[in-house]
Amino acid sequence: MKMIKQHSKKTGLPPGTLLHVGNERREQAKVTLVEYTADKCFEKQSCNIQEFLQKIPADTVTWFNIEGIHDISLIETIGKQLNLHVLTLEDIVHSGQRAKFEDFGDYLFIVTKMLRYNKELHQLQSQQVSFVLGRGYLMTFQESDWDVFEIIRLRIRKNSGFVRQMGCDYLCYALIDAIVDHYFEILEHFGDKMEELEEELLTHPSEKTLHKIHIIKRDFVLLRKTIWPLREAVRCLQDDESELLGDDTQLHLRDVHDHTVQIIDTLESSRDLVSGMLEIYLSSVSNKMNSIMKVLTLIATIFIPLTFVTGIFGMNFHTMPELRQGWMYPWGFWLIIIGIVVAMAVYFKKQKWL
Amino acid sequence: MKMIKQHSKKTGLPPGTLLHVGNERREQAKVTLVEYTADKCFEKQSCNIQEFLQKIPADTVTWFNIEGIHDISLIETIGKQLNLHVLTLEDIVHSGQRAKFEDFGDYLFIVTKMLRYNKELHQLQSQQVSFVLGRGYLMTFQESDWDVFEIIRLRIRKNSGFVRQMGCDYLCYALIDAIVDHYFEILEHFGDKMEELEEELLTHPSEKTLHKIHIIKRDFVLLRKTIWPLREAVRCLQDDESELLGDDTQLHLRDVHDHTVQIIDTLESSRDLVSGMLEIYLSSVSNKMNSIMKVLTLIATIFIPLTFVTGIFGMNFHTMPELRQGWMYPWGFWLIIIGIVVAMAVYFKKQKWL
Amino acid sequence: MKMIKQHSKKTGLPPGTLLHVGNERREQAKVTLVEYTADKCFEKQSCNIQEFLQKIPADTVTWFNIEGIHDISLIETIGKQLNLHVLTLEDIVHSGQRAKFEDFGDYLFIVTKMLRYNKELHQLQSQQVSFVLGRGYLMTFQESDWDVFEIIRLRIRKNSGFVRQMGCDYLCYALIDAIVDHYFEILEHFGDKMEELEEELLTHPSEKTLHKIHIIKRDFVLLRKTIWPLREAVRCLQDDESELLGDDTQLHLRDVHDHTVQIIDTLESSRDLVSGMLEIYLSSVSNKMNSIMKVLTLIATIFIPLTFVTGIFGMNFHTMPELRQGWMYPWGFWLIIIGIVVAMAVYFKKQKWL
Amino acid sequence: MKMIKQHSKKTGLPPGTLLHVGNERREQAKVTLVEYTADKCFEKQSCNIQEFLQKIPADTVTWFNIEGIHDISLIETIGKQLNLHVLTLEDIVHSGQRAKFEDFGDYLFIVTKMLRYNKELHQLQSQQVSFVLGRGYLMTFQESDWDVFEIIRLRIRKNSGFVRQMGCDYLCYALIDAIVDHYFEILEHFGDKMEELEEELLTHPSEKTLHKIHIIKRDFVLLRKTIWPLREAVRCLQDDESELLGDDTQLHLRDVHDHTVQIIDTLESSRDLVSGMLEIYLSSVSNKMNSIMKVLTLIATIFIPLTFVTGIFGMNFHTMPELRQGWMYPWGFWLIIIGIVVAMAVYFKKQKWL
Amino acid sequence: MKMIKQHSKKTGLPPGTLLHVGNERREQAKVTLVEYTADKCFEKQSCNIQEFLQKIPADTVTWFNIEGIHDISLIETIGKQLNLHVLTLEDIVHSGQRAKFEDFGDYLFIVTKMLRYNKELHQLQSQQVSFVLGRGYLMTFQESDWDVFEIIRLRIRKNSGFVRQMGCDYLCYALIDAIVDHYFEILEHFGDKMEELEEELLTHPSEKTLHKIHIIKRDFVLLRKTIWPLREAVRCLQDDESELLGDDTQLHLRDVHDHTVQIIDTLESSRDLVSGMLEIYLSSVSNKMNSIMKVLTLIATIFIPLTFVTGIFGMNFHTMPELRQGWMYPWGFWLIIIGIVVAMAVYFKKQKWL
């Protein structure tokens, strides 16, 4: 339900007022700087950002990563220094955005959602990551202190792949690609859960199964809401005519676009499959219930006429010849009883009720 | 059901006949004038509107707010003075419009729906707000005396944010933004309600829960009907090429457009979630019923054969050797009874019915 | 079900053969002529149409209204006189058309469906109205003798509104607007019915309620089929570049288009609401049934063990010490009975079954 | 289920290999030639096609109708003579095509599906009809020996309508129009069936009704699959810029297009109505079942406590004062019994269960 | 569930790192070379690919087929030799792609999914086939060692059809056509299964039927996910303006496009039919259950009042005149019993419950 709880704090403030809207607040925003060319690579934490921003080197790729978007003054400093539009700053600090892409001429602005499945808390975690891609620099703003970018950092340090040979735009692509690749992991996690559920459904369906199915359904609704807009954003980015994006990077972005389409396809198919599981659950519960009721009712149906027979012979009429006949008790009575049971059993068998 | 009750009063009148169609009628329409530049700010209520309209100052922003669209003669006066099209006036006084945007060349006309949740009446309230944005002035027409613009007025008075530095178009944007921001509050309210419902669903679902679910579903249908057209209207406004709209304002309108898209996304996801809740409710009710019926039927199924046994020993046959054996009563009889009960319990246990 | 019964009579005839397809046949087609300028207005019934058609005055607005499209020879005469295309004539006399707009260069051809709710027959009535808008004249062809145009006639006679000041195109707009305005009345009628139904649903749902819901659903399907194509037709008319349509009329048509969109919105929302009502009905019926079955089963469940106890004491064993103890009857037996009842009641209470 | 059984015979053959795929095989393909101008008309069966093809007269309309597309060598001869593309020939003999239109420059190729309801076999029959419209000739290829073109032949013979005055394109339009007109007959047939079903639903719903509903639903799925692509095909034909199509014919094709749209509308509405019927059926069956169970359970619920009372008085306690009181039997006992019955009846009445 | 399990192995690797992702791994990749002109044809297995790639003959069609995409070094060699883009190579070795088409200028890249139904394993098998169509050569990369291309090889060897007369583009078309033709076989297989299911549904529906229905539904979801993107890919290929594709080949590709549309149509219709089958199953199960319960409840309902009667005559009142009357036992008692049974039977008959 968290999906609709993030906006109202901001209601009533003038546009351009920066107010952080989101969940997590680290003590202090952490700024990490990575600077590299094909030859050398340089990393620094918690640097004096203002100094660096004043003279961004033209010949290197400079990547600022800001963890913690609640430090409004920091964001404002960066905004002033880099000449970012007021709405960009607002979108950065306000964590309830849809994924989107905007071309401000001097820089490109991309908002994405980073997802991971926290295995300790058994919980899906989401945070907003904003990209500002300018001439010679890339800034990434993330809400909290976990990310899926470690592999990119490793590639930069180890100079594996092409990342060190390419510019900022390629780095931006690589990071978005890392985020999208992580969506596949989330899908796999859900794939495993669905397999377990299907197993459970066939062997021992219970009311818990129903709740699991509904939790998965709800998670799919939220995932869809998160991933769907990214497709459009990446498509716009890929088609953008800004000179900040190289042709080759746009070719790579087409690949990312294909991946988002594939994820959405998979999500839609999974939703169909989960709906199918719900149908199976409901009809198997109803079938089980029906078969219990059938057996119980059969037992009652057999014994009620028998009780009627004993009722007859338990009557106190002064003249009941049947009661006096000696052969009547063990033979007559039990024959009637067994006769009734057999007749009913045969009938039920014939009707295929047993 | 109110959604389809507002038009027929007007049926049969010639287009251009102004007739107020709507619910609330304040005694007298209240006109408020706010005039400001970056330096000064001036506010006046119930002014002589005609005088002002004759010489709208060119260098200030002039905002007329008319509360109460039932005062036809006032609206007609304004229309004549400002040269508004007959259809514009008709749309202003007729409160059943969809949100829309129309460019009449000399002025822009925007219709929106303002929503608030009245916490005292536990009721969603809606009113139509029409904007006429002309050269140097902005007119807003609202149906009743509540609005969500107070925060904008405060900003103007206190000169906070950019509003005093910008023109009429920015003011128009700010007001629309205030309306859209308020939609988020409505969504949050529904989010809270849905959380309560989910809680209720898991702990003590009752027929009331079903009705609550259906009321939320219905409210979502109405919300969707209200908000959906606004998205298109804002998109048209944002893309309009009128010189009445500054570039920066259109950038801000893109932000509003993003917000409406986000609201619609959230609404659609919420509808999915509510449908899921209905499914949970129906199957949990059915499960509860089933488990009751199962226990009750089990009890009957156990006792009916036992009653048959007592029936046997209650028969009046003159020669029933079983009745005479001394060991038969306490031991034989109770062993049979206990035997039957145990056998059935074991069988039911084995079938996992207990 | 009438929606699919109107075409086959015509199957096999060459296109261009005029054959009336439809329900009602008035004895004789009734031709009404209204001719007006801003200054004067002239009305005539059952005139000699041929004479008039030969010299349509250029400076006045001439409106021919033909009631009864079964008079093939009349239609053919008009067609020849005004140079109408064979397919136009066919569409006029064949009443099963979808709403559509076609520009034939010399004249515009519009097909609409006029609806009204006949309060005496409790029935929705529909008839096709075709418009031929040419230079200086407007011809309307209707199937039967009721229409919703009386208000326009009044306006022409009384010279209220703009209609007398404007040309044929405005008259055409005014008539279409009258038809669309009438759709709102139909919607209101259904709105009232839905409110009644909702009331009935909450107080005394019965099988009749179900049928009423289904009849409304079916009516909505038919309404949707009728109104949906009109939206497209009006949009095409509004965008048409024919010189027969004035700019101002097209502005007014935009208004009509907005109305049809609004009607379709309302219709879709209403369909959603009716589906919700069906769900409420089904679950309330099922809830009611469940609560009946629960009470009945509870009664049976309580009495079956009691009957077993009486069965025990009704057995005829020669040695049953319980039967001889004097305290056994009133005290022992009734304590057992009351004990069982209380135990069960407590258990059921604890399980919240009571 | 036949819809997916027609392709695999062809799998693996090179494109351009002509292999007839379809159901019916007449002994020999039947070729009919109709040649006409405005003045004269000439008909011939089983002519030597090759001779005719070599010199197609330029000033007459020549219509070849080939019944039986299994005669591969004939098709190949025609193809070679008229210079038809290999894929055209393939589509002609392979009867599992979707309706489509293709412009090959020299000729236009149209595939349609002809439907009829065989009243003797109570079965919907379908066959593929392909049109090749070239300069001065029209070829139609049909699978089997029934068609819906008799009315067009009559018109040609009798020179009724415009067909004799017009060219090949008009003939082509007339034949397609005949096919589409026949769809209306099919729809009417289903309309009648639906009316019967609705009647049956209200008076005596049974399991057969359910099967009938499902058969109609399935037929609608198949009809939709058949008719839907035709709409697109006709639209393309109507917009085609080939000089083989006259302007007037394209105007007539717009009419055919309107008809297909109308048929699809009707089909969609009918599907909605049938779904509604299924809902009514299911809830009326469930209602009927519920009311049976309620009455049966009521009877049991009334008699079980009564049986308990007789059980009490049937006990064999040595000291039961009630049994000895003289007034106890007829009066006391029956008062208790009647009292219980009345109390229960009042309670059930109050709860509105009776 | 396999659909969402193929991506994560690759997460974190730099783009351009070739890592095979997929299921099957043959020991060694098998390269087959087919070279042909209209006159001669030459086939070779496991050739030294590098040598051939260095001088691809300009005047012949050269088709390399690589079975086993796990041989990364081979793929890399080919990539370097033919100047393929890094992303192309990645897509080739990564088997979880959607069907797609990309024009890289020098070559065209097509990804498709090949399906077959393995009759021994009763399982649907899928593998990715990538096409690289360059100047004078076609490369196909397949995952495992089965394919549906044998028929094309035969045609090349036997010089049947046009394939030997045409260029690489036609070969590429022929192979895609073979894949699409095979989809029809899969559909037919499902068509057969659905017919069996329908038979089973009408004669002896069981819980197994339900599971079969759900398996078919799931398979349709997966098929749809596989085939749907191919339609778009073929459409793009057909419209592509690359000089690598001849006009005639594009005409043939239009045919393939028609086939994919037809397959998707059939798939959608089949999904509708399967949903209908589920509805029939559920309502027939519920009907069967209902009729069982009705009979059982009827039996109980008849015997419970009878048991009450025997209870009455089994009471031990000292003064019960009924017990002493001699006519009471055989006649009176049995008349009451038979009377009750007949009365109930008549009532049930009248209510149509029997």
Side-chain angles (χ1 to χ4, degrees), chain B residues 258-269:
Chain B
D258 286 353
H259 286 176
T260 56
V261 172
Q262 197 177 337
I263 288 168
I264 287 166
D265 272 20
T266 305
L267 212 53
E268 295 300 311
S269 304

Short mmCIF file of all heavy atoms in Angstrom, two decimals, chain B residues 258-269:
data_model
loop_
_atom_site.label_atom_id
_atom_site.label_comp_id
_atom_site.label_asym_id
_atom_site.label_seq_id
_atom_site.Cartn_x
_atom_site.Cartn_y
_atom_site.Cartn_z
N ASP B 258 3.17 14.78 -15.63
CA ASP B 258 3.76 13.59 -15.01
C ASP B 258 2.97 13.19 -13.76
O ASP B 258 2.73 12.01 -13.52
CB ASP B 258 5.22 13.85 -14.63
CG ASP B 258 6.13 13.87 -15.83
OD1 ASP B 258 5.65 13.56 -16.95
OD2 ASP B 258 7.32 14.19 -15.70
N HIS B 259 2.58 14.21 -12.98
CA HIS B 259 1.84 13.89 -11.77
C HIS B 259 0.49 13.26 -12.08
O HIS B 259 0.09 12.29 -11.42
CB HIS B 259 1.64 15.16 -10.94
CG HIS B 259 2.88 15.62 -10.24
ND1 HIS B 259 2.97 16.76 -9.52
CD2 HIS B 259 4.11 15.06 -10.17
CE1 HIS B 259 4.19 16.90 -9.04
NE2 HIS B 259 4.91 15.89 -9.43
N THR B 260 -0.21 13.79 -13.08
CA THR B 260 -1.52 13.19 -13.40
C THR B 260 -1.33 11.76 -13.87
O THR B 260 -2.11 10.87 -13.51
CB THR B 260 -2.29 14.00 -14.46
OG1 THR B 260 -1.47 14.12 -15.61
CG2 THR B 260 -2.67 15.36 -13.96
N VAL B 261 -0.28 11.52 -14.68
CA VAL B 261 -0.02 10.15 -15.13
C VAL B 261 0.24 9.25 -13.93
O VAL B 261 -0.29 8.13 -13.84
CB VAL B 261 1.17 10.12 -16.11
CG1 VAL B 261 1.56 8.70 -16.42
CG2 VAL B 261 0.84 10.86 -17.39
N GLN B 262 1.03 9.77 -12.98
CA GLN B 262 1.34 9.00 -11.78
C GLN B 262 0.07 8.69 -10.97
O GLN B 262 -0.12 7.57 -10.48
CB GLN B 262 2.30 9.84 -10.95
CG GLN B 262 3.04 9.09 -9.89
CD GLN B 262 4.02 10.02 -9.17
OE1 GLN B 262 4.44 11.04 -9.73
NE2 GLN B 262 4.39 9.67 -7.97
N ILE B 263 -0.81 9.68 -10.88
CA ILE B 263 -2.06 9.47 -10.15
C ILE B 263 -2.89 8.39 -10.83
O ILE B 263 -3.44 7.50 -10.17
CB ILE B 263 -2.85 10.80 -10.07
CG1 ILE B 263 -2.16 11.75 -9.09
CG2 ILE B 263 -4.27 10.56 -9.63
CD1 ILE B 263 -2.67 13.16 -9.15
N ILE B 264 -2.95 8.47 -12.16
CA ILE B 264 -3.75 7.48 -12.88
C ILE B 264 -3.15 6.09 -12.72
O ILE B 264 -3.87 5.12 -12.48
CB ILE B 264 -3.88 7.89 -14.37
CG1 ILE B 264 -4.82 9.09 -14.47
CG2 ILE B 264 -4.40 6.75 -15.21
CD1 ILE B 264 -4.78 9.80 -15.78
N ASP B 265 -1.82 6.00 -12.81
CA ASP B 265 -1.15 4.72 -12.55
C ASP B 265 -1.54 4.15 -11.19
O ASP B 265 -1.91 2.99 -11.05
CB ASP B 265 0.38 4.93 -12.51
CG ASP B 265 1.01 4.81 -13.87
OD1 ASP B 265 0.29 4.93 -14.87
OD2 ASP B 265 2.23 4.59 -13.93
N THR B 266 -1.44 5.03 -10.19
CA THR B 266 -1.74 4.60 -8.82
C THR B 266 -3.19 4.14 -8.71
O THR B 266 -3.50 3.14 -8.07
CB THR B 266 -1.47 5.76 -7.85
OG1 THR B 266 -0.13 6.20 -8.04
CG2 THR B 266 -1.65 5.33 -6.41
N LEU B 267 -4.07 4.89 -9.37
CA LEU B 267 -5.48 4.56 -9.34
C LEU B 267 -5.72 3.18 -9.96
O LEU B 267 -6.46 2.36 -9.40
CB LEU B 267 -6.24 5.63 -10.13
CG LEU B 267 -7.65 5.99 -9.71
CD1 LEU B 267 -7.69 6.35 -8.25
CD2 LEU B 267 -8.12 7.18 -10.53
N GLU B 268 -5.07 2.94 -11.10
CA GLU B 268 -5.25 1.65 -11.78
C GLU B 268 -4.71 0.52 -10.90
O GLU B 268 -5.35 -0.52 -10.74
CB GLU B 268 -4.54 1.64 -13.13
CG GLU B 268 -5.10 2.61 -14.15
CD GLU B 268 -6.56 2.34 -14.46
OE1 GLU B 268 -6.91 1.18 -14.73
OE2 GLU B 268 -7.35 3.30 -14.43
N SER B 269 -3.52 0.72 -10.32
CA SER B 269 -2.97 -0.30 -9.44
C SER B 269 -3.88 -0.53 -8.24
O SER B 269 -4.12 -1.68 -7.84
CB SER B 269 -1.58 0.11 -8.95
OG SER B 269 -0.73 0.39 -10.03
#
